[in-house]
């Protein structure tokens, strides 16, 4: 059997400890719920990491042993140590995939990847409906989906979302209140692939929804590292036998 994709699901893990409603929806934490449904796919193995663990659970060899890192954070972005953010960023450049979920848009790592104020957007929390449209039906991240996904109750995120133009925009959301949002954005940085996926407010059972789980699974497969060539940098000899200027004269 082919090597499994090693996924680390990172979660801030604060809401679940403080808010009973969130704890009821995600008794094992949001990270636990995501790891659990991913683990059911035979080509994936998961581990979890959370903010309050030493080095936020990302110390030692964890990142080296991670093919795709999933990131959920909301209230404590500033508590994530810069040193760890830099480690994650360097691993992305080296080929690790990153999937940023929902309020992870304001995380240090996503802001570093974007180079913009990606924490800037419109929002509203009244439990309205979201319809997420697939706009790239040939993209691997939408495999197995219908033309759109409906989530009955969400927190709204609206444009303008201050991100760099995605290399591929896979989903656009429409909200009952009238706004639209770029909900599925693909980027590459170095050898690494990055996917931002909007759904996942903590007080709604969004990560229990089958189509949302399918998108995250597809995104893991899309974002996994590729065993490509090692580029050689710096001054090099020509591959062909080239007559230099001296020989010509
Ligand atoms: Zn939220």
């Amino acid at each position: 059997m082919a090597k499994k994709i090693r996924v680390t699901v990172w979660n801030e893990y604060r809401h679940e400890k403080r808010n009973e409603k969130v704890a009821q929806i995600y008794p094992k934490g949001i990270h636990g719920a995501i790891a659990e449904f991913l683990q059911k796919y035979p080509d994936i193995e998961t581990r979890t990491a959370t903010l309050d663990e030493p080095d936020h659970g990302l110390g030692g060899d964890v990142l080296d042993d991670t093919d795709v890192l999933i990131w959920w954070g909301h209230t404590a972005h500033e508590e994530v140590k810069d040193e760890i953010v830099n480690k994650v960023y360097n691993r992305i450049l080296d080929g690790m995939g990153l999937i940023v979920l929902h309020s992870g848009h304001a995380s240090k790592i996503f802001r570093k990847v974007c180079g913009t104020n990606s924490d800037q957007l419109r929002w509203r929390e009244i439990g309205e409906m979201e319809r997420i449209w697939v706009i790239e039906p040939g993209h691997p991240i939408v495999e197995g989906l219908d033309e759109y996904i409906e989530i009955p109750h969400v927190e709204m995120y609206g444009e303008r979302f201050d991100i760099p133009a995605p290399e591929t925009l896979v989903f656009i959301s429409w909200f009952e209140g009238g706004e639209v949002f770029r909900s599925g954005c693909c980027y590459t940085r170095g050898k690494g692939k990055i996917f931002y996926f909007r759904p996942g407010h903590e007080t709604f059972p969004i990560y229990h929804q089958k189509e949302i789980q399918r998108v995250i699974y597809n995104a893991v497969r899309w974002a996994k590292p590729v065993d490509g060539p090692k580029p050689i940098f710096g001054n090099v000899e020509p591959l062909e036998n080239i007559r230099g200027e001296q020989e010509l004269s």
Side-chain angles (χ1 to χ4, degrees):
M1 214 181 95
K3 238 178 86 193
K4 292 193 180 201
I5 308 168
R6 301 164 301 173
V7 178
T8 300
V9 185
W10 190 90
N11 180 16
E12 181 180 285
Y13 197 29
R14 291 278 172 87
H15 290 293
E16 298 94 322
K17 293 179 193 164
R18 291 173 187 167
N19 181 328
E20 210 173 299
K21 190 179 171 190
V22 180
Q24 272 172 18
I25 299 171
Y26 297 113
K28 294 174 189 167
I30 286 174
H31 55 299
I34 292 172
E36 201 168 88
F37 75 70
L38 282 176
Q39 191 74 48
K40 289 182 184 153
Y41 291 95
D43 55 342
I44 288 184
E45 64 182 39
T46 63
R47 71 162 105 194
T48 62
T50 55
L51 179 65
D52 293 328
E53 293 170 52
D55 292 328
H56 314 316
L58 299 175
D61 295 335
V62 171
L63 288 171
D64 288 332
D65 293 339
T66 298
D67 295 318
V68 180
L69 177 66
I70 297 179
W71 196 274
W72 197 102
H74 182 216
T75 60
H77 296 309
E78 291 314 309
E79 290 180 43
V80 178
K81 286 183 273 184
D82 291 336
E83 170 202 333
I84 299 294
V85 175
N86 289 335
K87 261 179 83 178
V88 170
Y89 187 74
N90 287 328
R91 264 294 287 147
I92 294 168
L93 298 183
D94 191 41
M96 182 184 74
L98 175 72
I99 298 172
V100 177
L101 297 172
H102 188 60
S103 41
H105 70 88
S107 63
K108 284 183 178 177
I109 186 59
F110 191 58
R111 292 179 65 177
K112 190 174 173 79
V113 158
C114 285
T116 57
N117 292 320
S118 67
D119 55 334
Q120 297 298 306
L121 46 72
R122 297 156 74 106
W123 64 275
R124 174 173 62 234
E125 200 183 334
I126 56 167
E128 65 207 272
M129 192 262 271
E130 174 179 11
R131 187 174 293 130
I132 306 171
W133 286 92
V134 171
I135 57 165
E136 288 299 340
H139 197 277
I141 288 178
V142 305
E143 195 172 307
L145 300 182
D146 292 329
E147 272 197 295
Y148 58 82
I149 300 168
E150 278 183 4
I151 308 177
H153 304 289
V154 302
E155 174 194 28
M156 184 281 293
Y157 280 4
E159 297 283 345
R160 158 81 177 167
F161 180 23
D162 190 10
I163 49 171
E167 289 160 27
T168 309
L169 180 59
V170 179
F171 298 111
I172 293 178
S173 286
W174 169 90
F175 296 88
E176 222 174 337
E179 287 84 359
V180 295
F181 193 75
R182 288 169 290 174
S183 278
C185 306
C186 298
Y187 301 96
T188 45
R189 293 291 183 271
K191 289 196 283 175
K193 301 193 193 74
I194 298 118
F195 182 60
Y196 172 77
F197 188 47
R198 194 209 86 82
H201 187 64
E202 66 277 0
T203 57
F204 301 110
I206 292 169
Y207 296 124
H208 296 306
Q209 193 172 329
K210 286 282 166 278
E211 305 99 307
I212 301 302
Q213 296 180 352
R214 182 64 196 261
V215 171
I216 294 171
Y217 169 65
N218 289 344
V220 164
R221 288 168 54 110
W222 169 82
K224 72 176 184 207
V226 168
D227 191 14
K230 272 218 174 349
I232 296 163
F233 297 109
N235 186 259
V236 292
E237 293 297 319
L239 296 180
E240 313 300 333
N241 202 355
I242 295 171
R243 285 190 303 164
E245 244 174 86
Q246 279 168 348
E247 226 176 295
L248 282 172
S249 57

